Amino acid sequence: HLILLFSLFLAPAFADKESQKTNQNFSSNNASHKRLKRDWIWNQMHIKEEIDTPLPHHVGKITSSVRNNNAKYILEGEYANTIFKVEETSGDVYAFERLDREKKAEYELTALIIDRRNNQSLEPPSKFIIKVYDINDNVPVFVQKVFNGSVPEMSPVGTSVTKVTAVDADDPTVTGHATVTYQVIKGDEYFTVDDSGVISTTRADLDRENQSTYEIIVKAKDAPGSSGDSSTATVIITLTDINDNFPVFKHPSFHFKVPENISVGGEVGRVKVEDIDEPQHRNTKYSFVRGDYRDTFEIVANPFTNEGIIRPKKPLDFEKVAEYKFDIEATDPTVDLRYFKTGGSRSISTVTIEVTDVDEPPVFTKLPYEFKVRENDPEIRTLGSVWAHDPDAAKRKIRFSRRRASPNGDYIRVSDTGIIQLPKPLDREFSSSYNITVAAQEILEDGHLSDRESHAQVHVIVTDENDNAPELVYPEEPRVCENAAPGKVIIRISATDKDEISPRGFFKFSLATEDSNFSLVENYDNTANITVKYGQFNRELAKIHYLPVIISDNGDPELSSTNTLVISVCKCNEKGNFTFCEERAKQVGVSMQALVAIFICIFTIIVITLLILLRKRHKKDLSGLGRNVAEIHEQLVTYDEEGGGEMDTTSYDVSVLNSVRKNGIKPEAVPSQYAQVQKPPGNITSGAGEMEMMIEVKKDEADNDRDLLPYDTLHIYGYEGAESIAESLSSLESGSSDSDIDYDFLNDWGPRFKMLAELYGSEP
């Protein structure tokens, strides 16, 4: 235990303040009452951690200079009266728990001394600290159980890999208590560790291809030179790859078969190599070592699989070369030769490519074909020919045909033997060039054409002949002031020619007549100016002038045309601006094709109209002659409204009834649309069966009559049954009967029977 000394004060500053207060009290009491100096007296308190003796553990003693038999010591603070307690009379402080410095290294308490009788403080409170001494009772602990590190393979000795860290919870101010040392206890033949925890290599031949990862164990302990407690951690070290290996062919030779019609750049086959480095370090390059076909094939490395892809650089021909054989080498130019392993850097393999025969289409001997022909030359019918042959051993015959043409049309033909023909002369102004696609097909042994064909482009260029005269071009309608001065430029004209511009010069302009108030001035740049010759136009005499202009093209032969320039004479102000001009009538032209189409349409309409009229007239004649009495009777219908009497002739055609009577047409002569129901022979009993039979017959006829109206119609039939003594009361049948009844008496019945009298009266 620590022995407390009473000669030490709590603090010098506190002592000074107390002295000053004492002096002030003495002076204030005029030195009548003298107070003695009092103070807390103790040494700094310390206690070791983890004391293994029975509790409580004596910490120290607090004391005061107060001399009072009733004095009582008290502790206050967070840990007072729990962990730490004080003996009231002696001031001895005890710890009632074993202390751990790693949990708490210092405890701050407050000491008080009071009078036990009235609990009055005899001294001001004083704070003090109890420090816990470290006893090195903690083992260094790694901050993590597993560490990871990496280092490039084949690295030199001493290359840093990673760093491990262990922490000791003991007091670092005490020598040897928190000092940590490291040691590799597993894998020390490859790696080592220093006191700071840095792990480094001990060998320079660490090869990732032999072993890519290492697992070592590192121990951490404190108190160097002692055999104190320690802890361990696992360190996993990965060797990263470097490019230190060359690729090696998987097979000493490769054999491929390929058809001869493989396209240029197509894949013939792939050669495979093995590179034990990581993919990012595989940069295989392929090259030809022996063989004369490096101009025929190329080998390109696939960046993803590292395979060598063999492709043809030009077309293969079985008939010329049936097999290719050459040696290739696989290397890696990026290999670091400092770490290259012995055993040879070259890997060579033999490649054999067998070309198989296929039925190839014909091959044209010349591509493309080009011919020239003069336009409008009627004598030229053959331009030349195209030629193709069968590249296979069969050497079949070839048939040619035209596939496409531009411009579209029958302008150029191709015969079966490949002769290019012209059915008619070509016009350069329509098209300066004509293009066709000619197809060549082999003729098989059975006479049919092969489905394989090849194509050739044929270009026909039409050379120009001077067969078009130049034409006048002017940007606006020419106008001139009536008071224009001589030499005034009216308009600048130019010319255009559908033919090619003659290399011998420009267009030539001239006036067809000099008898005008206009003149023409050449500009020698394919333009000319129309100017005023004398001036002072008279609008009263002529408001519009027609000036013929002749233009020639200097071609061979030279062609010219006469174009009429219409010039308006206008009124102008003093500044020469036009104020009034006559409006020229616009010419509206219709092409000949449009006129022909119009005439054809008019003629067609007239013919159709005549046919319709003739058909209607023919139907009318047939209806007048072919109707019989029964038909007329069948077409009479009943109306719910009252008619106008004998003068009402709008409900039916009276002329038809008259024609029947006057012409004496018998009902039997022309059969009705509906069959007449004959009266049954006399003495046959009439009944329901007879009427039912008549109705069924009529209904069947109506159902089968296509000319019947599509809606229901009420028909009135003249048959009244066999038992009627009056028989039929229809007046229509009486008109065709053979009776000698005189109907003149109807004229005596008055105006109401006038129409009936006219129907059955005697003929005039």
Side-chain angles (χ1 to χ4, degrees):
H1 300 286
L2 296 175
I3 301 175
L4 299 177
L5 300 177
F6 300 96
S7 60
L8 299 177
F9 294 94
L10 179 64
F14 183 78
D16 292 339
K17 290 181 180 179
E18 291 295 323
S19 298
Q20 292 175 4
K21 291 180 180 180
T22 304
N23 294 333
Q24 291 175 358
N25 291 332
F26 283 144
S27 60
S28 62
N29 294 326
N30 295 323
S32 61
H33 178 71
K34 185 176 181 181
R35 184 179 179 184
L36 296 176
K37 178 182 177 184
R38 295 189 296 250
D39 229 340
W40 291 99
I41 303 172
W42 61 76
N43 280 336
Q44 188 178 19
M45 296 184 185
H46 300 275
I47 185 173
K48 287 185 179 181
E49 64 172 337
E50 303 293 347
I51 300 175
D52 56 357
T53 59
L55 294 172
H57 300 149
H58 187 266
V59 179
K61 186 174 185 178
I62 59 176
T63 184
S64 174
S65 59
V66 175
R67 296 291 180 264
N68 190 332
N69 293 329
N70 296 316
K72 178 183 177 181
Y73 293 98
I74 298 176
L75 290 180
E76 290 184 352
E78 179 181 0
Y79 302 98
N81 300 317
T82 55
I83 298 178
F84 299 99
K85 295 181 181 179
V86 63
E87 209 284 325
E88 296 180 352
T89 57
S90 64
D92 290 322
V93 179
Y94 292 93
F96 284 80
E97 290 183 8
R98 286 183 174 83
L99 304 181
D100 189 352
R101 191 200 68 84
E102 285 70 40
K103 292 183 178 179
K104 192 170 182 64
E106 294 181 351
Y107 297 88
E108 184 177 310
L109 301 174
T110 302
L112 295 92
I113 183 169
I114 61 175
D115 190 335
R116 70 179 65 243
R117 294 172 301 179
N118 53 17
N119 291 330
Q120 294 293 325
S121 178
L122 300 178
E123 285 287 345
S126 178
K127 293 183 179 181
F128 66 96
I129 295 175
I130 298 176
K131 290 189 175 182
V132 181
Y133 276 172
D134 185 47
I135 62 170
N136 195 16
D137 58 340
N138 289 280
V139 178
V141 178
F142 284 96
V143 295
Q144 57 194 66
K145 285 295 184 181
V146 178
F147 293 86
N148 292 282
S150 63
V151 64
E153 62 174 331
M154 311 301 291
S155 295
V157 175
T159 302
S160 176
V161 179
T162 187
K163 183 178 181 180
V164 296
T165 303
V167 178
D168 193 334
D170 291 325
D171 190 356
T173 61
V174 180
T175 303
H177 281 203
T179 302
V180 180
T181 59
Y182 302 94
Q183 179 184 1
V184 178
I185 60 177
K186 176 186 176 182
D188 55 340
E189 66 271 25
Y190 304 110
F191 302 96
T192 186
V193 62
D194 58 15
D195 291 339
S196 62
V198 176
I199 298 175
S200 57
T201 59
T202 59
R203 298 177 59 172
D205 59 350
L206 298 178
D207 191 352
R208 186 197 67 85
E209 286 72 35
N210 294 332
Q211 184 176 349
S212 60
T213 58
Y214 293 85
E215 184 176 308
I216 66 174
I217 297 177
V218 179
K219 180 176 72 173
K221 65 178 182 177
D222 57 6
S226 66
S227 58
D229 294 332
S230 62
S231 63
T232 60
T234 301
V235 182
I236 299 175
I237 300 174
T238 302
L239 298 183
T240 59
D241 184 50
I242 63 172
N243 194 5
D244 59 342
N245 293 279
F246 282 97
V248 177
F249 282 109
K250 291 186 176 182
H251 305 286
S253 63
F254 296 90
H255 186 273
F256 304 102
K257 283 187 177 183
V258 61
E260 63 175 334
N261 62 345
I262 184 174
S263 60
V264 175
E267 183 176 326
V268 174
R270 299 191 177 198
V271 293
K272 298 182 179 181
V273 296
E274 182 179 7
D275 192 336
I276 58 177
D277 289 326
E278 291 290 335
Q280 67 271 18
H281 292 141
R282 297 171 185 172
N283 302 302
T284 304
K285 301 296 180 184
Y286 298 90
S287 59
F288 293 90
V289 178
R290 288 181 295 272
D292 300 330
Y293 304 112
R294 64 185 62 193
D295 60 336
T296 306
F297 298 95
E298 63 178 355
I299 306 178
V300 181
N302 187 310
F304 303 102
T305 63
N306 213 34
E307 298 172 321
I309 304 174
I310 303 176
R311 295 192 178 104
K313 296 169 62 176
K314 61 183 181 180
L316 305 182
D317 192 347
F318 170 81
E319 286 71 27
K320 293 182 179 179
V321 180
E323 184 180 90
Y324 298 87
K325 191 172 184 179
F326 45 83
D327 293 341
I328 59 174
E329 179 184 12
T331 58
D332 189 346
T334 61
V335 169
D336 193 341
L337 298 179
R338 293 177 301 172
Y339 309 111
F340 171 66
K341 307 176 186 64
T342 59
S345 62
R346 302 188 68 185
S347 179
I348 299 175
S349 180
T350 301
V351 177
T352 303
I353 300 176
E354 181 182 348
V355 181
T356 60
D357 188 23
V358 296
D359 186 13
E360 299 176 273
V363 177
F364 283 93
T365 57
K366 178 182 177 182
L367 291 174
Y369 292 88
E370 183 176 299
F371 303 97
K372 290 185 178 181
V373 60
R374 295 193 310 272
E375 68 170 328
N376 300 325
D377 191 342
E379 297 181 357
I380 299 178
R381 286 292 181 264
T382 301
L383 297 180
S385 62
V386 296
W387 180 252
H389 67 280
D390 182 8
D392 299 320
K395 301 301 179 184
R396 299 187 181 101
K397 293 182 179 181
I398 308 299
R399 179 173 295 175
F400 301 90
S401 59
R402 194 185 76 168
R403 284 290 180 264
R404 291 178 294 274
S406 176
N408 193 18
D410 188 22
Y411 300 105
I412 301 176
R413 297 176 182 174
V414 180
S415 67
D416 293 345
T417 58
I419 299 176
I420 307 300
Q421 300 171 338
L422 297 180
K424 59 183 178 180
L426 301 179
D427 186 3
R428 193 200 70 86
E429 283 68 44
F430 174 75
S431 179
S432 61
S433 64
Y434 295 80
N435 302 316
I436 64 170
T437 301
V438 178
Q441 294 174 279
E442 298 176 5
I443 302 176
L444 303 178
E445 287 74 9
D446 56 0
H448 293 84
L449 295 178
S450 172
D451 56 352
R452 300 179 60 82
E453 62 181 41
S454 56
H455 301 91
Q457 301 297 323
V458 177
H459 306 286
V460 178
I461 299 175
V462 183
T463 59
D464 185 42
E465 293 291 326
N466 193 22
D467 57 345
N468 292 279
E471 298 175 357
L472 180 64
V473 176
Y474 49 93
E476 59 185 9
E477 295 181 358
R479 296 181 294 177
V480 63
C481 295
E482 61 179 343
N483 58 351
K488 173 69 175 177
V489 176
I490 300 173
I491 192 173
R492 171 173 287 191
I493 61 174
S494 61
T496 182
D497 196 336
K498 296 180 181 179
D499 296 322
E500 294 180 356
I501 301 298
S502 173
R504 297 187 297 170
F506 301 101
F507 294 116
K508 290 190 292 185
F509 301 87
S510 62
L511 296 178
T513 176
E514 297 295 334
D515 187 14
S516 66
N517 196 11
F518 302 97
S519 60
L520 186 145
V521 179
E522 285 267 13
N523 295 324
Y524 300 104
D525 60 353
N526 280 338
T527 63
N529 292 338
I530 303 298
T531 61
V532 178
K533 189 174 184 180
Y534 303 113
Q536 297 301 324
F537 293 90
N538 189 349
R539 295 184 76 252
E540 300 298 332
L541 296 178
K543 297 178 181 179
I544 295 177
H545 293 266
Y546 299 93
L547 182 64
V549 179
I550 301 174
I551 308 174
S552 59
D553 58 6
N554 286 322
D556 184 19
E558 184 176 282
L559 298 178
S560 63
S561 64
T562 301
N563 303 265
T564 300
L565 193 64
V566 182
I567 303 174
S568 300
V569 180
C570 306
K571 292 181 180 180
C572 300
N573 56 19
E574 296 178 353
K575 296 181 180 180
N577 298 327
F578 298 109
T579 59
F580 178 76
C581 292
E582 245 66 21
E583 288 290 338
R584 291 186 290 180
K586 296 183 178 179
Q587 297 180 355
V588 180
V590 181
S591 64
M592 182 61 65
Q593 292 83 354
L595 289 175
V596 171
I598 292 171
F599 285 133
I600 291 174
C601 291
I602 294 173
F603 179 76
T604 304
I605 293 172
I606 292 173
V607 171
I608 293 174
T609 304
L610 291 175
L611 291 175
I612 293 174
L613 293 176
L614 291 175
R615 187 167 181 233
K616 285 185 176 181
R617 184 175 179 183
H618 182 66
K619 283 186 175 182
K620 186 175 181 181
D621 294 341
L622 290 177
S623 63
L625 296 176
R627 291 183 179 178
N628 53 26
V629 177
E631 282 185 83
I632 297 172
H633 174 70
E634 293 289 337
Q635 294 177 0
L636 293 179
V637 297
T638 60
Y639 299 91
D640 293 335
E641 61 183 10
E642 183 178 356
E646 63 182 5
M647 300 306 295
D648 184 7
T649 58
T650 60
S651 297
Y652 53 88
D653 191 356
V654 180
S655 62
V656 177
L657 298 176
N658 287 329
S659 63
V660 173
R661 174 180 168 273
K662 292 177 181 180
N663 295 332
I665 300 176
K666 306 290 183 179
E668 293 80 2
V670 179
S672 172
Q673 294 180 356
Y674 302 101
Q676 296 294 321
V677 178
Q678 301 296 330
K679 293 183 179 181
N683 302 326
I684 297 178
T685 304
S686 175
E690 183 179 344
M691 289 300 296
E692 182 180 0
M693 180 184 68
M694 185 273 293
I695 292 173
E696 290 296 331
V697 170
K698 289 297 183 179
K699 186 175 69 172
D700 184 64
E701 291 176 354
D703 290 340
N704 296 323
D705 188 3
R706 296 184 179 180
D707 297 330
L708 192 63
L709 296 176
Y711 47 84
D712 293 338
T713 303
L714 178 61
H715 295 275
I716 299 176
Y717 301 99
Y719 180 63
E720 298 176 354
E723 295 182 354
S724 176
I725 59 175
E727 296 185 352
S728 176
L729 297 180
S730 174
S731 60
L732 296 178
E733 289 188 2
S734 62
S736 59
S737 64
D738 297 333
S739 63
D740 297 332
I741 299 174
D742 186 7
Y743 296 99
D744 291 339
F745 62 89
L746 294 175
N747 295 321
D748 299 334
W749 287 10
R752 290 182 177 272
F753 296 93
K754 182 181 179 180
M755 185 63 65
L756 191 59
E758 290 179 357
L759 291 174
Y760 291 91
S762 58
E763 296 182 4

